[in-house]
Amino acid sequence: VDDVLPLAGSAILVAKRESYKTWLALYFAHCITKGLPIWDKFNTTKSKILYISNDDPPPSFQSRLRTFSFTGDLVVYHRNLPDFSIDQENGSFSSVKAAIKDRDIGLLIVDILRNTHNKDSNTDKETKLVFDKYKELREANPKLVIIFIIHPSKELPPDKRVLRRQSEEAVGSYLWEAGVDTVISLTKST
């Protein structure tokens, strides 16, 4: 995505539950699979996408998919397959890596990142282990772009909200935000 996300780059999309993270990710996927500009402003490089869906119930996610007219350029790794994990030896990681190579995937969307690892999201050391594992997927495609969908940090007590940033912050370690090229923060308003 020109001026937003470079080739071989990565991004996090952070927002509270029910703040349209999945809808936005699917809109990005729709535009990128067709080579359309996002919001008629940001040009995209047409690419095939692998979407790891491990948060939405399958009927809900399938309903969302039907909203867009996806072709074979969107591949979904869903809950009927072995749980996708960077930690477990269930073959899911190597299967995704092979799919990236075999299907010439240019963008990987991970929805929700927390459900793909057993590391402590609050420590820089373990957060780095997660990033390093995902970087291994670039062995299958050096130009692979990765978008991680994550939840924000826990709500601060009322007396500390004054100091809080206006946008949502990634959960846990600051490395979640520091380790990517782009942070897209959604705030749901009433």
Side-chain angles (χ1 to χ4, degrees):
V1 180
D2 290 356
D3 301 322
V4 177
L5 190 56
L7 287 177
S10 57
I12 58 171
L13 173 55
V14 58
K16 291 180 181 174
R17 293 186 184 281
E18 299 180 6
S19 294
Y20 306 102
K21 296 179 299 296
T22 299
W23 281 112
L24 181 59
L26 288 171
Y27 171 70
F28 273 38
H30 168 78
C31 291
I32 292 168
T33 58
K34 296 187 180 318
L36 301 172
I38 293 174
W39 299 306
D40 294 324
K41 181 176 181 173
F42 301 101
N43 291 328
T44 63
T45 301
K46 185 176 178 178
S47 300
K48 294 179 182 175
I49 298 175
L50 175 58
Y51 197 112
I52 297 175
S53 172
N54 62 20
D55 193 50
D56 262 357
S60 172
F61 188 74
Q62 289 169 358
S63 175
R64 293 178 196 217
L65 285 175
R66 285 191 294 274
T67 302
F68 299 93
S69 55
F70 286 111
T71 62
D73 288 342
L74 177 74
V75 178
V76 178
Y77 190 101
H78 51 81
R79 287 187 168 183
N80 292 337
L81 297 168
D83 288 342
F84 178 79
S85 173
I86 64 168
D87 300 316
Q88 297 175 10
E89 295 298 323
N90 64 359
S92 62
F93 187 82
S94 58
S95 174
V96 162
K97 190 173 181 179
I100 290 169
K101 183 175 183 175
D102 297 343
R103 296 180 183 217
D104 192 30
I105 300 293
L107 172 62
L108 173 68
I109 299 175
V110 182
D111 185 2
I112 290 284
L113 176 63
R114 177 68 213 126
N115 294 346
T116 69
H117 64 87
N118 295 321
K119 306 292 184 219
D120 182 351
S121 296
N122 296 307
T123 68
D124 290 346
K125 181 180 178 181
E126 293 206 14
T127 297
K128 183 179 182 316
L129 293 173
V130 173
F131 275 129
D132 287 347
K133 189 67 177 178
Y134 274 99
K135 286 179 184 177
E136 285 181 30
L137 295 175
R138 290 205 175 100
E139 294 169 6
N141 178 355
K143 294 181 182 179
L144 181 70
V145 176
I146 305 172
I147 297 177
F148 302 106
I149 301 177
I150 63 176
H151 292 123
S153 56
K154 300 293 183 202
E155 187 67 38
L156 296 173
D159 60 328
K160 296 195 180 192
R161 288 186 189 162
V162 174
L163 302 174
R164 193 176 94 174
R165 288 184 0 193
Q166 291 298 316
S167 61
E168 299 296 349
E169 293 180 341
V171 66
S173 166
Y174 282 106
L175 193 57
W176 292 118
E177 290 185 7
V180 297
D181 300 293
T182 305
V183 176
I184 301 168
S185 176
L186 298 176
T187 302
K188 184 178 180 182
S189 61
T190 57

Short mmCIF file of all heavy atoms in Angstrom, two decimals, residues 108-171:
data_model
loop_
_atom_site.label_atom_id
_atom_site.label_comp_id
_atom_site.label_asym_id
_atom_site.label_seq_id
_atom_site.Cartn_x
_atom_site.Cartn_y
_atom_site.Cartn_z
N LEU A 108 0.10 -11.55 4.10
CA LEU A 108 -0.43 -12.43 5.14
C LEU A 108 -1.13 -11.56 6.16
O LEU A 108 -0.54 -10.60 6.66
CB LEU A 108 0.70 -13.22 5.80
CG LEU A 108 0.31 -14.05 7.03
CD1 LEU A 108 -0.59 -15.22 6.63
CD2 LEU A 108 1.56 -14.56 7.75
N ILE A 109 -2.39 -11.88 6.46
CA ILE A 109 -3.13 -11.17 7.50
C ILE A 109 -3.38 -12.17 8.62
O ILE A 109 -3.94 -13.25 8.39
CB ILE A 109 -4.47 -10.61 6.98
CG1 ILE A 109 -4.21 -9.61 5.85
CG2 ILE A 109 -5.26 -9.96 8.12
CD1 ILE A 109 -5.47 -9.08 5.18
N VAL A 110 -2.97 -11.82 9.84
CA VAL A 110 -3.11 -12.69 11.00
C VAL A 110 -4.14 -12.07 11.94
O VAL A 110 -3.89 -11.05 12.56
CB VAL A 110 -1.76 -12.88 11.74
CG1 VAL A 110 -1.92 -13.83 12.91
CG2 VAL A 110 -0.69 -13.36 10.77
N ASP A 111 -5.30 -12.73 12.05
CA ASP A 111 -6.44 -12.20 12.79
C ASP A 111 -6.87 -13.20 13.87
O ASP A 111 -7.56 -14.16 13.56
CB ASP A 111 -7.59 -11.93 11.81
CG ASP A 111 -8.80 -11.27 12.44
OD1 ASP A 111 -8.77 -10.96 13.64
OD2 ASP A 111 -9.79 -11.07 11.71
N ILE A 112 -6.47 -13.07 14.96
CA ILE A 112 -5.83 -12.23 15.95
C ILE A 112 -4.46 -12.84 16.27
O ILE A 112 -4.36 -14.04 16.48
CB ILE A 112 -6.68 -12.16 17.23
CG1 ILE A 112 -7.96 -11.35 17.02
CG2 ILE A 112 -5.94 -11.68 18.42
CD1 ILE A 112 -7.84 -9.86 16.97
N LEU A 113 -3.45 -11.99 16.35
CA LEU A 113 -2.08 -12.45 16.60
C LEU A 113 -1.97 -13.24 17.90
O LEU A 113 -1.31 -14.27 17.96
CB LEU A 113 -1.13 -11.25 16.62
CG LEU A 113 0.33 -11.56 16.95
CD1 LEU A 113 0.94 -12.48 15.89
CD2 LEU A 113 1.13 -10.29 17.09
N ARG A 114 -2.61 -12.78 18.94
CA ARG A 114 -2.49 -13.42 20.27
C ARG A 114 -2.84 -14.91 20.22
O ARG A 114 -2.30 -15.70 20.96
CB ARG A 114 -3.41 -12.69 21.26
CG ARG A 114 -3.44 -13.28 22.63
CD ARG A 114 -2.10 -13.08 23.35
NE ARG A 114 -1.85 -14.20 24.23
CZ ARG A 114 -0.76 -14.95 24.23
NH1 ARG A 114 0.22 -14.72 23.41
NH2 ARG A 114 -0.62 -15.95 25.06
N ASN A 115 -3.73 -15.31 19.34
CA ASN A 115 -4.16 -16.70 19.26
C ASN A 115 -3.19 -17.59 18.49
O ASN A 115 -3.50 -18.76 18.26
CB ASN A 115 -5.55 -16.79 18.63
CG ASN A 115 -6.62 -16.16 19.49
OD1 ASN A 115 -6.41 -15.89 20.66
ND2 ASN A 115 -7.77 -15.91 18.90
N THR A 116 -2.05 -17.05 18.08
CA THR A 116 -1.12 -17.85 17.29
C THR A 116 0.16 -18.21 18.02
O THR A 116 1.06 -18.80 17.42
CB THR A 116 -0.73 -17.11 15.98
OG1 THR A 116 0.08 -15.97 16.29
CG2 THR A 116 -1.96 -16.71 15.19
N HIS A 117 0.28 -17.83 19.28
CA HIS A 117 1.51 -18.13 20.01
C HIS A 117 1.23 -18.29 21.50
O HIS A 117 0.20 -17.85 22.00
CB HIS A 117 2.57 -17.05 19.77
CG HIS A 117 2.18 -15.70 20.30
ND1 HIS A 117 2.43 -15.31 21.59
CD2 HIS A 117 1.56 -14.65 19.70
CE1 HIS A 117 1.98 -14.08 21.77
NE2 HIS A 117 1.44 -13.67 20.63
N ASN A 118 2.18 -18.92 22.17
CA ASN A 118 2.07 -19.14 23.62
C ASN A 118 3.12 -18.33 24.38
O ASN A 118 3.54 -18.72 25.45
CB ASN A 118 2.24 -20.62 23.96
CG ASN A 118 1.11 -21.45 23.40
OD1 ASN A 118 -0.04 -21.02 23.41
ND2 ASN A 118 1.43 -22.62 22.87
N LYS A 119 3.55 -17.24 23.82
CA LYS A 119 4.58 -16.39 24.44
C LYS A 119 3.92 -15.33 25.31
O LYS A 119 2.74 -15.05 25.20
CB LYS A 119 5.45 -15.73 23.37
CG LYS A 119 6.06 -16.69 22.37
CD LYS A 119 7.09 -17.58 23.00
CE LYS A 119 7.75 -18.45 21.96
NZ LYS A 119 7.99 -19.79 22.40
N ASP A 120 4.73 -14.72 26.17
CA ASP A 120 4.28 -13.64 27.04
C ASP A 120 4.32 -12.33 26.25
O ASP A 120 5.40 -11.82 25.96
CB ASP A 120 5.16 -13.55 28.28
CG ASP A 120 4.72 -12.49 29.27
OD1 ASP A 120 3.82 -11.68 28.93
OD2 ASP A 120 5.28 -12.44 30.38
N SER A 121 3.18 -11.80 25.91
CA SER A 121 3.09 -10.59 25.09
C SER A 121 3.59 -9.34 25.80
O SER A 121 3.71 -8.28 25.19
CB SER A 121 1.64 -10.35 24.67
OG SER A 121 1.19 -11.39 23.85
N ASN A 122 3.86 -9.45 27.09
CA ASN A 122 4.28 -8.28 27.86
C ASN A 122 5.79 -8.10 27.92
O ASN A 122 6.27 -7.08 28.40
CB ASN A 122 3.73 -8.37 29.28
CG ASN A 122 2.22 -8.32 29.27
OD1 ASN A 122 1.63 -7.41 28.70
ND2 ASN A 122 1.59 -9.31 29.87
N THR A 123 6.55 -9.08 27.47
CA THR A 123 8.01 -8.97 27.55
C THR A 123 8.60 -8.76 26.16
O THR A 123 8.16 -9.38 25.19
CB THR A 123 8.64 -10.23 28.17
OG1 THR A 123 8.48 -11.33 27.28
CG2 THR A 123 8.02 -10.56 29.52
N ASP A 124 9.60 -7.90 26.10
CA ASP A 124 10.26 -7.64 24.81
C ASP A 124 10.92 -8.90 24.27
O ASP A 124 10.87 -9.16 23.07
CB ASP A 124 11.32 -6.54 24.97
CG ASP A 124 10.70 -5.17 25.22
OD1 ASP A 124 9.48 -5.01 25.01
OD2 ASP A 124 11.45 -4.26 25.62
N LYS A 125 11.52 -9.68 25.15
CA LYS A 125 12.25 -10.88 24.72
C LYS A 125 11.32 -11.86 24.01
O LYS A 125 11.62 -12.34 22.91
CB LYS A 125 12.91 -11.55 25.92
CG LYS A 125 13.70 -12.79 25.57
CD LYS A 125 14.33 -13.41 26.80
CE LYS A 125 15.08 -14.68 26.43
NZ LYS A 125 15.68 -15.32 27.60
N GLU A 126 10.17 -12.14 24.61
CA GLU A 126 9.26 -13.11 24.00
C GLU A 126 8.51 -12.51 22.80
O GLU A 126 8.20 -13.22 21.85
CB GLU A 126 8.30 -13.68 25.05
CG GLU A 126 9.09 -14.52 26.05
CD GLU A 126 8.27 -15.60 26.73
OE1 GLU A 126 7.14 -15.89 26.28
OE2 GLU A 126 8.77 -16.15 27.72
N THR A 127 8.26 -11.22 22.83
CA THR A 127 7.65 -10.56 21.68
C THR A 127 8.59 -10.66 20.48
O THR A 127 8.16 -10.93 19.36
CB THR A 127 7.34 -9.08 22.00
OG1 THR A 127 6.38 -9.05 23.06
CG2 THR A 127 6.79 -8.35 20.80
N LYS A 128 9.89 -10.47 20.71
CA LYS A 128 10.88 -10.59 19.64
C LYS A 128 10.88 -12.01 19.07
O LYS A 128 11.01 -12.20 17.86
CB LYS A 128 12.27 -10.21 20.12
CG LYS A 128 13.31 -10.25 19.01
CD LYS A 128 14.67 -9.84 19.51
CE LYS A 128 15.71 -9.83 18.41
NZ LYS A 128 15.73 -10.93 17.50
N LEU A 129 10.72 -13.02 19.92
CA LEU A 129 10.65 -14.40 19.44
C LEU A 129 9.48 -14.59 18.48
O LEU A 129 9.60 -15.29 17.47
CB LEU A 129 10.54 -15.38 20.61
CG LEU A 129 11.74 -15.50 21.53
CD1 LEU A 129 11.41 -16.37 22.75
CD2 LEU A 129 12.94 -16.05 20.78
N VAL A 130 8.35 -13.97 18.79
CA VAL A 130 7.18 -14.07 17.91
C VAL A 130 7.48 -13.41 16.57
O VAL A 130 7.25 -13.99 15.50
CB VAL A 130 5.93 -13.43 18.57
CG1 VAL A 130 4.76 -13.38 17.60
CG2 VAL A 130 5.54 -14.21 19.83
N PHE A 131 8.02 -12.19 16.60
CA PHE A 131 8.36 -11.49 15.35
C PHE A 131 9.36 -12.29 14.53
O PHE A 131 9.22 -12.41 13.31
CB PHE A 131 8.93 -10.10 15.63
CG PHE A 131 7.88 -9.04 15.80
CD1 PHE A 131 7.89 -8.21 16.90
CD2 PHE A 131 6.88 -8.85 14.85
CE1 PHE A 131 6.94 -7.22 17.07
CE2 PHE A 131 5.91 -7.87 15.01
CZ PHE A 131 5.95 -7.05 16.13
N ASP A 132 10.38 -12.83 15.19
CA ASP A 132 11.40 -13.59 14.47
C ASP A 132 10.81 -14.82 13.79
O ASP A 132 11.18 -15.17 12.67
CB ASP A 132 12.54 -14.00 15.41
CG ASP A 132 13.42 -12.82 15.80
OD1 ASP A 132 13.32 -11.75 15.16
OD2 ASP A 132 14.20 -12.96 16.76
N LYS A 133 9.87 -15.48 14.46
CA LYS A 133 9.24 -16.66 13.87
C LYS A 133 8.44 -16.26 12.62
O LYS A 133 8.52 -16.94 11.59
CB LYS A 133 8.34 -17.35 14.90
CG LYS A 133 7.81 -18.69 14.44
CD LYS A 133 8.93 -19.71 14.30
CE LYS A 133 8.36 -21.06 13.93
NZ LYS A 133 9.39 -22.06 13.73
N TYR A 134 7.70 -15.17 12.70
CA TYR A 134 6.94 -14.72 11.53
C TYR A 134 7.87 -14.31 10.39
O TYR A 134 7.54 -14.50 9.22
CB TYR A 134 5.96 -13.60 11.89
CG TYR A 134 4.65 -14.14 12.38
CD1 TYR A 134 4.36 -14.22 13.73
CD2 TYR A 134 3.70 -14.61 11.49
CE1 TYR A 134 3.16 -14.74 14.18
CE2 TYR A 134 2.49 -15.13 11.92
CZ TYR A 134 2.23 -15.19 13.27
OH TYR A 134 1.04 -15.72 13.70
N LYS A 135 9.04 -13.76 10.72
CA LYS A 135 10.00 -13.38 9.68
C LYS A 135 10.48 -14.60 8.89
O LYS A 135 10.86 -14.48 7.73
CB LYS A 135 11.18 -12.65 10.29
CG LYS A 135 10.85 -11.23 10.71
CD LYS A 135 12.05 -10.55 11.34
CE LYS A 135 11.70 -9.18 11.84
NZ LYS A 135 12.82 -8.52 12.52
N GLU A 136 10.45 -15.78 9.51
CA GLU A 136 10.83 -17.01 8.80
C GLU A 136 9.94 -17.26 7.59
O GLU A 136 10.36 -17.92 6.64
CB GLU A 136 10.75 -18.22 9.74
CG GLU A 136 11.86 -18.32 10.75
CD GLU A 136 11.72 -19.56 11.62
OE1 GLU A 136 11.18 -20.58 11.14
OE2 GLU A 136 12.13 -19.48 12.79
N LEU A 137 8.72 -16.75 7.63
CA LEU A 137 7.81 -16.94 6.50
C LEU A 137 8.33 -16.23 5.24
O LEU A 137 7.97 -16.59 4.13
CB LEU A 137 6.41 -16.45 6.84
CG LEU A 137 5.70 -17.25 7.95
CD1 LEU A 137 4.36 -16.60 8.29
CD2 LEU A 137 5.51 -18.70 7.54
N ARG A 138 9.19 -15.24 5.42
CA ARG A 138 9.75 -14.53 4.27
C ARG A 138 10.76 -15.37 3.50
O ARG A 138 11.16 -14.99 2.41
CB ARG A 138 10.35 -13.21 4.71
CG ARG A 138 9.27 -12.22 5.13
CD ARG A 138 9.70 -10.78 5.00
NE ARG A 138 8.59 -9.91 5.29
CZ ARG A 138 8.40 -9.31 6.47
NH1 ARG A 138 9.28 -9.45 7.43
NH2 ARG A 138 7.35 -8.54 6.64
N GLU A 139 11.14 -16.52 4.05
CA GLU A 139 11.97 -17.46 3.29
C GLU A 139 11.17 -17.98 2.10
O GLU A 139 11.73 -18.32 1.06
CB GLU A 139 12.43 -18.62 4.17
CG GLU A 139 13.37 -18.21 5.28
CD GLU A 139 13.60 -19.32 6.30
OE1 GLU A 139 13.13 -20.46 6.09
OE2 GLU A 139 14.26 -19.04 7.32
N ALA A 140 9.85 -18.02 2.23
CA ALA A 140 8.97 -18.49 1.16
C ALA A 140 8.68 -17.38 0.15
O ALA A 140 8.40 -17.65 -1.01
CB ALA A 140 7.66 -19.03 1.74
N ASN A 141 8.72 -16.13 0.59
CA ASN A 141 8.54 -14.97 -0.28
C ASN A 141 9.21 -13.78 0.39
O ASN A 141 8.65 -13.20 1.33
CB ASN A 141 7.06 -14.67 -0.52
CG ASN A 141 6.87 -13.44 -1.41
OD1 ASN A 141 7.82 -12.75 -1.77
ND2 ASN A 141 5.62 -13.15 -1.73
N PRO A 142 10.39 -13.38 -0.09
CA PRO A 142 11.12 -12.28 0.54
C PRO A 142 10.37 -10.95 0.56
O PRO A 142 10.67 -10.09 1.37
CB PRO A 142 12.40 -12.16 -0.31
CG PRO A 142 12.55 -13.48 -0.97
CD PRO A 142 11.15 -14.00 -1.17
N LYS A 143 9.38 -10.78 -0.32
CA LYS A 143 8.62 -9.53 -0.37
C LYS A 143 7.31 -9.61 0.43
O LYS A 143 6.49 -8.69 0.38
CB LYS A 143 8.31 -9.17 -1.82
CG LYS A 143 9.55 -8.84 -2.62
CD LYS A 143 9.18 -8.47 -4.04
CE LYS A 143 10.43 -8.18 -4.85
NZ LYS A 143 10.10 -7.85 -6.25
N LEU A 144 7.12 -10.69 1.18
CA LEU A 144 5.88 -10.89 1.93
C LEU A 144 5.62 -9.73 2.89
O LEU A 144 6.49 -9.31 3.64
CB LEU A 144 5.95 -12.20 2.73
CG LEU A 144 4.71 -12.55 3.55
CD1 LEU A 144 3.56 -12.93 2.63
CD2 LEU A 144 5.02 -13.69 4.51
N VAL A 145 4.39 -9.23 2.84
CA VAL A 145 3.92 -8.20 3.75
C VAL A 145 3.03 -8.90 4.78
O VAL A 145 2.26 -9.80 4.44
CB VAL A 145 3.11 -7.12 2.99
CG1 VAL A 145 2.53 -6.11 3.95
CG2 VAL A 145 3.99 -6.45 1.94
N ILE A 146 3.16 -8.49 6.04
CA ILE A 146 2.37 -9.12 7.11
C ILE A 146 1.61 -8.05 7.88
O ILE A 146 2.18 -7.04 8.29
CB ILE A 146 3.27 -9.91 8.09
CG1 ILE A 146 4.11 -10.95 7.34
CG2 ILE A 146 2.41 -10.59 9.16
CD1 ILE A 146 5.16 -11.63 8.21
N ILE A 147 0.30 -8.27 8.04
CA ILE A 147 -0.53 -7.42 8.89
C ILE A 147 -1.00 -8.26 10.07
O ILE A 147 -1.65 -9.29 9.88
CB ILE A 147 -1.75 -6.84 8.13
CG1 ILE A 147 -1.29 -5.94 6.98
CG2 ILE A 147 -2.66 -6.07 9.10
CD1 ILE A 147 -2.43 -5.40 6.13
N PHE A 148 -0.66 -7.81 11.26
CA PHE A 148 -1.08 -8.47 12.50
C PHE A 148 -2.25 -7.68 13.08
O PHE A 148 -2.16 -6.46 13.25
CB PHE A 148 0.04 -8.47 13.54
CG PHE A 148 1.30 -9.15 13.09
CD1 PHE A 148 2.42 -8.41 12.76
CD2 PHE A 148 1.38 -10.53 13.04
CE1 PHE A 148 3.60 -9.02 12.37
CE2 PHE A 148 2.55 -11.16 12.65
CZ PHE A 148 3.67 -10.41 12.32
N ILE A 149 -3.33 -8.37 13.39
CA ILE A 149 -4.46 -7.73 14.06
C ILE A 149 -4.35 -8.06 15.54
O ILE A 149 -4.22 -9.23 15.91
CB ILE A 149 -5.80 -8.19 13.47
CG1 ILE A 149 -5.85 -7.85 11.97
CG2 ILE A 149 -6.96 -7.55 14.22
CD1 ILE A 149 -7.10 -8.33 11.27
N ILE A 150 -4.37 -7.02 16.36
CA ILE A 150 -4.21 -7.23 17.80
C ILE A 150 -5.18 -6.35 18.59
O ILE A 150 -5.74 -5.39 18.07
CB ILE A 150 -2.75 -6.97 18.26
CG1 ILE A 150 -2.34 -5.53 18.04
CG2 ILE A 150 -1.78 -7.89 17.55
CD1 ILE A 150 -0.95 -5.23 18.56
N HIS A 151 -5.33 -6.71 19.85
CA HIS A 151 -6.15 -5.93 20.76
C HIS A 151 -5.27 -4.91 21.48
O HIS A 151 -4.07 -5.12 21.61
CB HIS A 151 -6.83 -6.84 21.80
CG HIS A 151 -7.87 -7.72 21.19
ND1 HIS A 151 -7.84 -9.08 21.29
CD2 HIS A 151 -8.97 -7.43 20.46
CE1 HIS A 151 -8.87 -9.59 20.65
NE2 HIS A 151 -9.57 -8.61 20.14
N PRO A 152 -5.86 -3.83 21.97
CA PRO A 152 -5.08 -2.81 22.68
C PRO A 152 -4.71 -3.26 24.08
O PRO A 152 -5.22 -4.26 24.59
CB PRO A 152 -6.01 -1.62 22.71
CG PRO A 152 -7.37 -2.21 22.69
CD PRO A 152 -7.26 -3.46 21.85
N SER A 153 -3.84 -2.45 24.70
CA SER A 153 -3.47 -2.71 26.09
C SER A 153 -4.71 -2.53 26.95
O SER A 153 -5.70 -1.94 26.54
CB SER A 153 -2.35 -1.78 26.53
OG SER A 153 -2.75 -0.44 26.32
N LYS A 154 -4.63 -3.05 28.15
CA LYS A 154 -5.77 -2.98 29.07
C LYS A 154 -6.10 -1.52 29.39
O LYS A 154 -5.25 -0.65 29.40
CB LYS A 154 -5.47 -3.73 30.37
CG LYS A 154 -5.17 -5.20 30.15
CD LYS A 154 -6.39 -5.93 29.65
CE LYS A 154 -6.09 -7.41 29.50
NZ LYS A 154 -6.95 -8.09 28.60
N GLU A 155 -7.36 -1.28 29.67
CA GLU A 155 -7.82 0.07 30.00
C GLU A 155 -7.13 0.57 31.26
O GLU A 155 -6.97 -0.17 32.23
CB GLU A 155 -9.33 0.03 30.22
CG GLU A 155 -9.97 1.38 30.40
CD GLU A 155 -9.92 2.22 29.14
OE1 GLU A 155 -10.10 1.68 28.05
OE2 GLU A 155 -9.71 3.43 29.26
N LEU A 156 -6.73 1.82 31.25
CA LEU A 156 -6.09 2.42 32.41
C LEU A 156 -7.14 2.85 33.43
O LEU A 156 -8.29 3.14 33.06
CB LEU A 156 -5.29 3.65 31.98
CG LEU A 156 -4.11 3.38 31.05
CD1 LEU A 156 -3.53 4.71 30.59
CD2 LEU A 156 -3.07 2.54 31.73
N PRO A 157 -6.76 2.93 34.70
CA PRO A 157 -7.69 3.44 35.71
C PRO A 157 -8.11 4.88 35.36
O PRO A 157 -7.36 5.60 34.70
CB PRO A 157 -6.89 3.41 37.01
CG PRO A 157 -5.72 2.52 36.74
CD PRO A 157 -5.49 2.54 35.26
N PRO A 158 -9.30 5.31 35.82
CA PRO A 158 -9.81 6.64 35.45
C PRO A 158 -8.83 7.77 35.71
O PRO A 158 -8.74 8.70 34.91
CB PRO A 158 -11.07 6.79 36.30
CG PRO A 158 -11.50 5.40 36.58
CD PRO A 158 -10.24 4.57 36.64
N ASP A 159 -8.07 7.75 36.81
CA ASP A 159 -7.16 8.86 37.12
C ASP A 159 -5.95 8.93 36.18
O ASP A 159 -5.26 9.93 36.14
CB ASP A 159 -6.70 8.78 38.57
CG ASP A 159 -5.94 7.50 38.88
OD1 ASP A 159 -6.27 6.46 38.28
OD2 ASP A 159 -5.04 7.54 39.74
N LYS A 160 -5.69 7.88 35.43
CA LYS A 160 -4.54 7.88 34.51
C LYS A 160 -4.96 8.07 33.06
O LYS A 160 -4.11 8.16 32.19
CB LYS A 160 -3.76 6.58 34.66
CG LYS A 160 -3.15 6.45 36.04
CD LYS A 160 -2.11 5.39 36.09
CE LYS A 160 -1.56 5.34 37.52
NZ LYS A 160 -0.39 4.58 37.63
N ARG A 161 -6.25 8.14 32.79
CA ARG A 161 -6.73 8.28 31.41
C ARG A 161 -6.31 9.61 30.79
O ARG A 161 -6.18 9.73 29.59
CB ARG A 161 -8.25 8.14 31.34
CG ARG A 161 -8.69 6.73 31.57
CD ARG A 161 -10.16 6.58 31.38
NE ARG A 161 -10.53 5.25 31.83
CZ ARG A 161 -11.75 4.89 32.13
NH1 ARG A 161 -12.74 5.74 32.01
NH2 ARG A 161 -12.00 3.66 32.53
N VAL A 162 -6.09 10.62 31.62
CA VAL A 162 -5.69 11.93 31.12
C VAL A 162 -4.37 11.82 30.37
O VAL A 162 -4.16 12.49 29.37
CB VAL A 162 -5.56 12.92 32.30
CG1 VAL A 162 -5.02 14.25 31.81
CG2 VAL A 162 -6.90 13.10 32.97
N LEU A 163 -3.49 10.94 30.84
CA LEU A 163 -2.18 10.79 30.22
C LEU A 163 -2.18 9.84 29.04
O LEU A 163 -1.18 9.71 28.35
CB LEU A 163 -1.18 10.28 31.27
CG LEU A 163 -1.03 11.16 32.52
CD1 LEU A 163 -0.12 10.48 33.53
CD2 LEU A 163 -0.51 12.53 32.14
N ARG A 164 -3.29 9.15 28.82
CA ARG A 164 -3.37 8.14 27.76
C ARG A 164 -3.34 8.79 26.37
O ARG A 164 -3.90 9.86 26.17
CB ARG A 164 -4.65 7.34 27.92
CG ARG A 164 -4.67 6.08 27.07
CD ARG A 164 -5.91 5.30 27.36
NE ARG A 164 -6.90 5.70 26.36
CZ ARG A 164 -8.07 5.13 26.23
NH1 ARG A 164 -8.44 4.19 27.04
NH2 ARG A 164 -8.91 5.54 25.31
N ARG A 165 -2.70 8.11 25.45
CA ARG A 165 -2.70 8.57 24.06
C ARG A 165 -4.12 8.55 23.52
O ARG A 165 -4.96 7.79 23.98
CB ARG A 165 -1.85 7.63 23.19
CG ARG A 165 -0.41 7.77 23.44
CD ARG A 165 0.44 6.93 22.54
NE ARG A 165 -0.27 6.11 21.59
CZ ARG A 165 0.29 5.14 20.90
NH1 ARG A 165 1.55 4.87 21.05
NH2 ARG A 165 -0.40 4.42 20.05
N GLN A 166 -4.39 9.34 22.52
CA GLN A 166 -5.71 9.36 21.91
C GLN A 166 -6.01 8.08 21.14
O GLN A 166 -7.13 7.65 21.03
CB GLN A 166 -5.84 10.57 20.97
CG GLN A 166 -5.87 11.88 21.71
CD GLN A 166 -7.07 11.98 22.64
OE1 GLN A 166 -8.18 11.62 22.27
NE2 GLN A 166 -6.85 12.46 23.84
N SER A 167 -4.97 7.48 20.58
CA SER A 167 -5.18 6.26 19.81
C SER A 167 -4.95 5.04 20.69
O SER A 167 -4.39 5.13 21.78
CB SER A 167 -4.23 6.22 18.62
OG SER A 167 -2.90 6.24 19.07
N GLU A 168 -5.41 3.90 20.21
CA GLU A 168 -5.22 2.66 20.94
C GLU A 168 -3.76 2.22 20.86
O GLU A 168 -3.11 2.41 19.85
CB GLU A 168 -6.13 1.56 20.37
CG GLU A 168 -7.60 1.87 20.46
CD GLU A 168 -8.13 1.98 21.87
OE1 GLU A 168 -7.43 1.62 22.82
OE2 GLU A 168 -9.27 2.43 22.02
N GLU A 169 -3.27 1.62 21.94
CA GLU A 169 -1.92 1.10 21.97
C GLU A 169 -1.98 -0.41 21.92
O GLU A 169 -2.91 -1.03 22.44
CB GLU A 169 -1.19 1.54 23.24
CG GLU A 169 -0.94 3.03 23.28
CD GLU A 169 -0.23 3.44 24.55
OE1 GLU A 169 -0.25 2.68 25.54
OE2 GLU A 169 0.34 4.54 24.55
N ALA A 170 -0.98 -1.00 21.33
CA ALA A 170 -0.90 -2.46 21.24
C ALA A 170 -0.76 -3.08 22.62
O ALA A 170 -0.18 -2.49 23.52
CB ALA A 170 0.28 -2.86 20.36
N VAL A 171 -1.29 -4.27 22.74
CA VAL A 171 -1.23 -4.99 24.01
C VAL A 171 0.21 -5.35 24.34
O VAL A 171 1.00 -5.71 23.47
CB VAL A 171 -2.12 -6.25 23.95
CG1 VAL A 171 -1.59 -7.27 22.96
CG2 VAL A 171 -2.25 -6.89 25.32
#
